[in-house]
Amino acid sequence: MSTSFQPWHHGNITRSKAEDLLSKAAKDGSFLLRDSESIQGAYALCVLYQNCVYTYRILPNEDRKLSVQASEGVPIQLFSVLSDLVETFYSPNMGLATHLQFPVQKEEEPEEEAVTTVVGSTEPVKCPPQLPPRNSKEIQGGDSRGSELACSSLGDTYLQRLQHIDMSNLPEEHQKSIEEYFHTSVSLDAEQVQSGNPSLPHLKKLTMGICKQLNSEISRTLPTLETFQRLLDQQLAPGIGRLRTQVSADSDQSVSFRLEQLTKLLYSIEEKAKTAVFEWAGYDGGHRRSLIPPITFEVKSELLGLTTKMFLKVDVETGKIYFKKYKDGPEDKYFVHNKILQLVKSQKVAKLVIMLETEKEKTLRKEFVFDDTKKREGFCQLLQQMKNKHSDKPEPDMITVFVGTWNMGNASPPHSIASWFQCKGQGKTRDDTADHIPHDIYVFGTQEDPLGEKEWIDTLKSALRGTTNISFKQIATQTLWNIRIVVLAKPEHENRISHIFSDSVKTGIANALGNKGAVGVSFMFNGTSFGFVNSHLTSGSEKKIRRNQNYVSILRFLNLGDKKLNPFDITHRFTHLFWFGDLNYRIELPSTEAESIVTKIKQQQYQELLCRDQLTIEKGEEKVFLHYDEEEITFAPTYRFERDTRERYAYTKAKATGTKYNLPSWCDRVLRKSYPLVHVFCQSYGCTNDIMTSDHSPVFSTFEVGVASQFVSKHDPSRVSQGGIKFMNCVATLMTKSKTKFFLEYHSSCLEKFVKSSEGENQDHSDGSIKVRFGNQVELVPIISDPEYLLDQHILLCVKSTDCDESYGEGCVALRAAESSYTEFHVTLTHHGERTGTLAGGVQLRTSEGKQTEKLYDFIKVERDDSGASKGKGLDLINKFALPSDITNPSYMGVGFKSGGVTDRGWSYSMSPKSASAPLHPPTYTKNPVKPSRSEGGMVQTTNRPHLPMKSRPGQADITPTKPKDYRDSSELPSKLRPPTRPIQPLPKEAHHEATQPPKMGRSVK
């Protein structure tokens, strides 16, 4: 049903955009139609009356006839086309608030730059002539002479290029064949394509002729390799004999196909031979695990006011740390991994306190100073790896994730790309001592990627194998034109990853071309959901509004994650969401400032330039990436370099229309968004220095992330009280002019199905906003009532309208904030990336108090900044060190909490991360450009809030995972897939007084 020519039909614009357009019209009877957000194939008729917007659903029946859901008592009429429906409702008394009078027309779309921009230029230009249109219908629309001209110009283009290529080393018959093809045959192939035959028979004939000898050599070689492969097979598969018939003897297959078979055989032979030899030799490092060599650190120790040099040797494989007075001294003094209780990092200097357990179960405190914070971080990562490796837990509760983005500039990568995934270069980088620590998951996003999918994946696997000695498994890949995402994981995680989905969205010209857009992958890692989005947004310094629109389109239409969460876009569907790519936001300065920008970059004055960074500005004004976090940028702009060097920026570009400026900018970025109170910590964020084939530098980032596994209760099921989750006194304030009623929906993986509240009561309706009170208490019955399980769960809330069943705002509440008492919450509501209001209320867990299992990521803490503390004296660690607030995601969507009559809003999205409350403020590194600070804020607890009990370390039963279900189409989520969050530890006694002081607040959410 074509409706695009109707001026009042606005397609898939958002509800808030429709309200804006009607508000600008400011006339009773103004109207427009948009696509429904809740039902595919339906529409929403939006009418303005007395400064309120009334929305009516237009639904198709089985015969695709359309009807309007108007007031009761009005006869239902059916229409075949929208234009007839609209014409009918121009009449009064048709069940609408007022009859239709003034159609609101679509706003003009901003002009999009074409893929090539040399159309119609009369001046001679250096770039080649434009190729004929891709759309064959456009060619057929003209006369036959126009078609002939297009074909001949295509041949002429390549013949011109041929004149500038040295072909002296090619066989003479090959030269003649290529010239002949472009003289005559290419036009014949073009005619075949116009007639609907895309096989290019003349090109195939040319390549077969050129590869004649290669083809015969393949026929001679393939049988030998297949025989060799069968020899290495432990058990001969019944289809091996047929393989030879299908591949070796079939000479009609294309050369590229047979070469691919040849390559696959060579890879297969290499892998099988390695496996056999490694098994015979008893070598266990080739494919199963990484062998991390022992590493020694030189440190300083202070004892009785005297500073002495010491050496700490970390042996991850044996699980020991050695304390030595000399580098080559005896190794008789060591501690085993289970005797290393905790690491506590200082905020001010590169100091580290190691808490150890002695033979008599006493606590020993060792304090060391490293050369710099980078060395200390490498030491901590090695000890964390040791703890993870030798943990007696059957499933991990923490993993590390690498996220990288690189615009390859349509050029093949260099021989070595190891610096990219080893995080070597500028910015917040890993220490050399961490080189051999492999990450659990690697996610690579590329744009303008010229390689084939298999070639690129093989390149990545080979590079990782060379540095980690692990053969990583491919989890997923998705490609849209030259935009690609690849996810690789350690082999031992293959069975922990399930529910894998991938999708893509085009945002190029008219949202139809894939030269710009996004690709995404989502999956479950045991009980934690992950989403990854790689996007290439519109280019051009002046196109920031179009980039913002690209972001919203991707947010709305990228189909990833749990299908049952369809009221929620991808920002709410995942425990952890990572969004990265060539976002193309630029430094907003005039082109005359180009030299000044370069000078500031050389002086590492990045903060001055970041103040003019478009993404920082747009994000600060809540126009894009609302509530996403980005680690502090302490590396130089990654675009636009001269290729083959990183010493010069090529900020001018000659075009047919004149000189175009591309000022050095941070185009390539990595952002993240996680549920509240879950563990996530950025270990590194920077760019490489030595990969120079593109005009962009690759960007890397690594994250330490908390994950959940199958929940195993430590209590007798018969003794555990029935748990319940109560929501009460909920009040929503919505920024809307819609005249409708609302209700709440509660979604969570801890519930059998979503729960709807009763209809709310509309109270205030001031200009542009409405207050809705949901008076009735809602009790949610979880599938598992154990308190430890419930404190790790999240509830997604959605405010919906009764007229169209469309969402007016979504938010998330962490049950950990409720603990075991009644707690008030305050959540910012968003929809399609826009702030749409707030939701306040109370939540209470009706269950007995429980103990939390200690998590591996609680091993490393951060020292509270206390300048009055004495140096190196006393063993009262509890008094000196506080919760490591820098490694959690303390707030989400502006969540705040109140308990015991004291409001605690914690860290708010309306304030800078650096202005979070002082007592639990994250550590701040010095303002050296290459040593960034952490960007997360802290959640402040009040003294009246009951604290969690001390943690225990019980053993967990080994659970055999069942075959995962496809939860996107089912009504339940298996209990193993319940995303938890990190536990909150009690504050030390000395911290209680400080915590009661009112925290510094940004502007409150109205």
Side-chain angles (χ1 to χ4, degrees):
M1 184 182 300
S2 176
T3 60
S4 58
F5 66 93
Q6 303 293 355
W8 32 256
H9 182 247
H10 291 244
N12 55 24
I13 65 167
T14 62
R15 174 191 53 76
S16 59
K17 180 66 176 176
E19 289 187 15
D20 289 342
L21 292 172
L22 289 169
S23 296
K24 289 177 184 176
K27 290 183 181 178
D28 286 355
S30 298
F31 73 94
L32 59 82
L33 264 80
R34 59 176 174 83
D35 296 347
S36 170
E37 292 183 359
S38 57
I39 301 177
Q40 191 171 4
Y43 305 93
L45 173 62
C46 305
V47 185
L48 185 71
Y49 180 63
Q50 294 183 352
N51 204 32
C52 290
V53 176
Y54 293 79
T55 305
Y56 304 92
R57 274 202 290 198
I58 300 175
L59 300 174
N61 63 8
E62 294 178 355
D63 300 324
R64 299 183 63 79
K65 300 285 187 180
L66 300 170
S67 62
V68 178
Q69 287 187 328
S71 301
E72 294 183 9
V74 178
I76 295 177
Q77 298 186 53
L78 298 176
F79 302 90
S80 299
V81 292
L82 281 175
S83 55
D84 292 346
L85 181 151
V86 169
E87 189 67 32
T88 300
F89 280 84
Y90 269 94
S91 304
N93 303 319
M94 295 298 293
L96 307 184
T98 183
H99 62 285
L100 306 184
Q101 298 180 65
F102 310 106
V104 176
Q105 299 199 5
K106 296 171 68 173
E107 288 185 332
E108 289 187 10
E109 288 285 328
E111 290 186 9
E112 182 72 17
E113 184 178 355
V115 180
T116 49
T117 58
V118 228
V119 183
S121 175
T122 56
E123 299 179 10
V125 290
K126 293 182 179 179
C127 50
Q130 192 180 25
L131 295 179
R134 294 175 183 271
N135 191 341
S136 59
K137 290 182 180 179
E138 293 181 17
I139 299 174
Q140 291 172 349
D143 57 17
S144 59
R145 186 171 180 274
S147 175
E148 290 171 7
L149 286 172
C151 293
S152 64
S153 67
L154 177 62
D156 292 343
T157 297
Y158 287 107
L159 285 171
Q160 281 181 10
R161 292 180 182 177
L162 208 58
Q163 293 174 6
H164 301 285
I165 296 176
D166 182 14
M167 300 174 63
S168 59
N169 60 335
L170 303 186
E172 188 176 347
E173 63 270 21
H174 289 180
Q175 293 183 37
K176 289 181 177 178
S177 299
I178 293 172
E179 290 173 358
E180 173 61 26
Y181 178 74
F182 289 119
H183 267 300
T184 56
S185 301
V186 69
S187 59
L188 298 175
D189 272 347
E191 289 171 5
Q192 291 270 351
V193 171
Q194 292 166 17
S195 303
N197 176 18
S199 62
L200 305 180
H202 296 85
L203 178 64
K204 185 176 180 181
K205 181 180 178 182
L206 171 67
T207 54
M208 289 295 286
I210 293 173
C211 299
K212 185 177 181 181
Q213 292 184 0
L214 178 62
N215 212 10
S216 62
E217 190 63 27
I218 292 174
S219 298
R220 194 173 72 87
T221 307
L222 267 177
T224 308
L225 290 174
E226 288 166 357
T227 303
F228 193 13
Q229 184 194 40
R230 290 200 301 274
L231 184 66
L232 289 167
D233 278 337
Q234 292 181 359
Q235 294 180 339
L236 291 180
I240 287 292
R242 290 194 298 274
L243 175 69
R244 178 174 178 175
T245 305
Q246 293 168 355
V247 178
S248 302
D250 190 357
S251 58
D252 291 336
Q253 295 284 1
S254 68
V255 178
S256 58
F257 175 80
R258 304 184 78 201
L259 275 173
E260 184 180 0
Q261 297 301 318
L262 195 73
T263 307
K264 284 181 178 178
L265 277 171
L266 288 169
Y267 273 121
S268 174
I269 289 168
E270 181 184 350
E271 290 294 328
K272 288 175 180 177
K274 272 187 178 179
T275 302
V277 174
F278 286 168
E279 287 181 358
W280 180 83
Y283 177 61
D284 199 29
H287 306 282
R288 294 168 180 77
R289 62 189 179 92
S290 171
L291 295 177
I292 301 174
I295 295 173
T296 302
F297 295 82
E298 182 180 322
V299 295
K300 293 176 183 177
S301 175
E302 189 176 280
L303 183 62
L304 301 176
L306 298 176
T307 301
T308 58
K309 185 190 294 185
M310 283 195 66
F311 294 89
L312 305 180
K313 180 181 176 181
V314 182
D315 192 336
V316 173
E317 301 302 324
T318 62
K320 295 177 182 178
I321 178 173
Y322 297 87
F323 294 81
K324 307 189 331 180
K325 291 185 178 180
Y326 308 101
K327 190 171 185 179
D328 299 322
E331 298 182 350
D332 52 349
K333 187 176 182 180
Y334 64 86
F335 285 85
V336 184
H337 62 90
N338 57 358
K339 300 296 183 182
I340 307 169
L341 302 180
Q342 196 152 60
L343 305 182
V344 187
K345 298 188 288 190
S346 168
Q347 292 188 29
K348 288 189 173 181
V349 293
K351 185 174 68 177
L352 182 72
V353 173
I354 305 178
M355 300 301 299
L356 303 160
E357 183 182 319
T358 62
E359 294 178 356
K360 298 179 180 179
E361 296 188 354
K362 291 185 178 180
T363 302
L364 177 65
R365 180 176 183 271
K366 293 277 191 179
E367 186 174 302
F368 302 101
V369 177
F370 289 73
D371 289 342
D372 52 45
T373 53
K374 196 171 176 181
K375 284 288 180 193
R376 183 186 67 181
E377 198 61 36
F379 176 86
C380 291
Q381 288 180 26
L382 282 169
L383 260 66
Q384 182 76 72
Q385 183 76 4
M386 179 195 294
K387 276 286 188 183
N388 297 356
K389 186 180 185 69
H390 297 281
S391 167
D392 56 359
K393 294 190 176 186
E395 291 294 322
D397 56 29
M398 185 197 78
I399 61 173
T400 59
V401 179
F402 170 93
V403 178
T405 176
W406 182 23
N407 185 318
M408 300 175 68
N410 289 313
S412 296
H415 176 69
S416 174
I417 56 172
S419 61
W420 187 20
F421 48 79
Q422 287 185 323
C423 302
K424 300 290 188 185
Q426 301 181 42
K428 185 176 183 180
T429 57
R430 296 179 88 190
D431 187 63
D432 293 345
T433 53
D435 282 356
H436 296 280
I437 303 177
H439 297 290
D440 296 276
I441 295 172
Y442 286 84
V443 183
F444 299 94
T446 51
Q447 310 85 37
E448 297 183 21
D449 185 342
L451 303 187
E453 202 167 83
K454 185 180 185 304
E455 182 183 3
W456 178 234
I457 293 171
D458 289 344
T459 299
L460 294 172
K461 283 184 175 181
S462 175
L464 284 171
R465 191 186 304 120
T467 56
T468 66
N469 207 26
I470 297 175
S471 293
F472 278 78
K473 297 292 184 180
Q474 178 183 336
I475 301 303
T477 184
Q478 178 77 14
T479 302
L480 172 68
W481 287 30
N482 297 107
I483 309 169
R484 179 173 294 140
I485 185 171
V486 176
V487 181
L488 306 175
K490 282 183 178 177
E492 61 260 35
H493 296 322
E494 200 170 10
N495 294 328
R496 295 177 174 127
I497 295 174
S498 62
H499 304 87
I500 303 165
F501 297 100
S502 60
D503 194 25
S504 63
V505 172
K506 299 173 183 176
T507 63
I509 300 173
N511 286 339
L513 293 186
N515 62 311
K516 296 293 188 291
V519 290
V521 167
S522 66
F523 55 83
M524 298 291 295
F525 186 98
N526 282 343
T528 301
S529 55
F530 283 88
F532 299 93
V533 180
N534 169 33
S535 62
H536 192 186
L537 307 185
T538 298
S539 61
S541 179
E542 71 286 357
K543 299 288 183 64
K544 67 179 180 183
I545 294 176
R546 178 63 181 167
R547 284 189 278 277
N548 295 352
Q549 293 170 346
N550 290 166
Y551 163 75
V552 174
S553 295
I554 295 165
L555 195 69
R556 294 181 63 190
F557 303 118
L558 198 62
N559 186 21
L560 298 173
D562 188 348
K563 213 172 185 179
K564 299 195 307 296
L565 296 176
N566 83 306
F568 305 89
D569 57 44
I570 58 174
T571 56
H572 292 87
R573 288 191 178 192
F574 305 106
T575 315
H576 303 286
L577 173 65
F578 298 89
W579 192 312
F580 49 97
D582 181 359
L583 306 186
N584 252 322
Y585 286 93
R586 309 300 175 92
I587 292 177
E588 199 159 85
L589 286 170
S591 57
T592 54
E593 295 289 319
E595 286 296 334
S596 174
I597 292 172
V598 172
T599 300
K600 284 184 170 63
I601 293 169
K602 290 178 179 178
Q603 296 170 350
Q604 296 188 346
Q605 296 177 6
Y606 302 142
Q607 292 304 318
E608 290 185 36
L609 297 176
L610 283 166
C611 292
R612 306 302 297 269
D613 170 60
Q614 289 178 342
L615 179 55
T616 303
I617 295 169
E618 297 296 290
K619 189 171 173 293
E621 294 178 358
E622 298 189 346
K623 294 179 180 177
V624 72
F625 289 104
L626 182 63
H627 299 159
Y628 282 73
D629 292 319
E630 182 182 25
E631 186 70 2
E632 183 180 355
I633 292 177
T634 58
F635 51 92
T638 55
Y639 176 79
R640 179 177 184 254
F641 287 102
E642 285 189 18
R643 296 181 191 242
D644 301 322
T645 180
R646 298 295 93 156
E647 298 297 323
R648 292 182 299 279
Y649 286 94
Y651 51 80
T652 60
K653 186 177 183 180
K655 303 196 77 171
T657 53
T659 301
K660 181 177 180 180
Y661 280 82
N662 287 299
L663 297 180
S665 298
W666 286 279
C667 292
D668 312 284
R669 311 286 273 268
V670 179
L671 298 98
R672 69 185 187 278
K673 191 168 188 287
S674 298
Y675 282 170
L677 303 183
V678 296
H679 178 81
V680 57
F681 165 55
C682 181
Q683 294 177 323
S684 60
Y685 187 36
C687 68
T688 64
N689 283 330
D690 60 345
I691 300 177
M692 301 178 287
T693 50
S694 171
D695 49 4
H696 291 252
S697 286
V699 168
F700 52 77
S701 60
T702 57
F703 301 90
E704 191 180 274
V705 176
V707 293
S709 56
Q710 169 74 38
F711 178 77
V712 181
S713 177
K714 302 185 289 291
H715 306 286
D716 182 351
S718 61
R719 294 187 178 183
V720 176
S721 61
Q722 278 296 314
I725 307 164
K726 292 182 181 178
F727 279 85
M728 57 201 84
N729 305 323
C730 291
V731 178
T733 303
L734 304 174
M735 296 186 294
T736 180
K737 290 187 175 182
S738 290
K739 190 73 172 178
T740 182
K741 294 288 188 178
F742 300 93
F743 62 93
L744 283 173
E745 273 188 5
Y746 301 85
H747 294 251
S748 178
S749 57
C750 71
L751 305 175
E752 285 286 353
K753 57 183 179 179
F754 73 86
V755 176
K756 292 173 65 171
S757 75
S758 56
E759 190 178 285
E761 177 188 353
N762 294 0
Q763 292 187 330
D764 298 330
H765 200 302
S766 57
D767 185 32
S769 67
I770 185 172
K771 183 176 283 187
V772 187
R773 183 174 296 279
F774 301 94
N776 293 344
Q777 176 179 294
V778 175
E779 180 157 358
L780 311 177
V781 180
I783 56 177
I784 299 176
S785 56
D786 191 291
E788 179 179 348
Y789 168 79
L790 288 181
L791 289 175
D792 278 342
Q793 303 308 307
H794 294 82
I795 305 295
L796 295 174
L797 302 104
C798 177
V799 182
K800 280 189 164 185
S801 65
T802 55
D803 56 8
C804 282
D805 196 44
E806 291 182 337
S807 172
Y808 277 63
E810 306 95 49
C812 178
V813 171
L815 294 185
R816 168 148 323 280
E819 298 179 0
S820 59
S821 66
Y822 173 84
T823 304
E824 293 184 3
F825 64 87
H826 189 272
V827 181
T828 300
L829 297 175
T830 67
H831 184 60
H832 294 329
E834 297 179 319
R835 181 191 293 271
T836 58
T838 60
L839 177 67
V843 59
Q844 183 175 12
L845 298 185
R846 184 172 58 82
T847 183
S848 58
E849 192 172 352
K851 294 183 178 180
Q852 288 291 305
T853 304
E854 184 177 339
K855 308 291 186 183
L856 284 171
Y857 47 75
D858 292 323
F859 175 56
I860 301 176
K861 305 294 182 187
V862 179
E863 178 184 12
R864 184 153 44 88
D865 187 5
D866 186 2
S867 57
S870 59
K871 276 191 175 183
K873 294 183 180 180
L875 298 177
D876 191 3
L877 184 73
I878 299 296
N879 294 342
K880 189 175 181 184
F881 299 106
L883 173 69
S885 59
D886 65 310
I887 58 173
T888 61
N889 181 37
S891 189
Y892 174 88
M893 312 300 286
V895 180
F897 301 98
K898 187 168 90 172
S899 181
V902 180
T903 301
D904 167 25
R905 294 185 185 275
W907 181 79
S908 169
Y909 284 94
S910 60
M911 67 175 78
S912 165
K914 299 293 184 289
S915 63
S917 53
L920 294 181
H921 188 52
T924 304
Y925 294 90
T926 57
K927 277 294 180 181
N928 189 315
V930 294
K931 296 179 182 176
S933 64
R934 294 175 184 159
S935 61
E936 288 82 10
M939 178 68 78
V940 183
Q941 288 184 303
T942 63
T943 51
N944 293 327
R945 183 184 296 175
H947 301 296
L948 292 178
M950 294 300 290
K951 300 174 184 176
S952 60
R953 192 195 290 268
Q956 292 189 7
D958 190 8
I959 300 299
T960 303
T962 56
K963 185 177 181 181
K965 297 174 67 175
D966 183 355
Y967 67 89
R968 302 224 305 178
D969 292 306
S970 66
S971 60
E972 72 231 356
L973 187 63
S975 60
K976 72 171 281 188
L977 303 179
R978 312 299 173 197
T981 60
R982 77 181 303 277
I984 297 294
Q985 291 187 337
L987 285 174
K989 294 178 182 178
E990 277 72 350
H992 293 334
H993 174 70
E994 290 185 50
T996 56
Q997 302 302 318
K1000 294 180 181 179
M1001 294 295 298
R1003 60 182 179 85
S1004 59
V1005 178
K1006 297 285 185 180

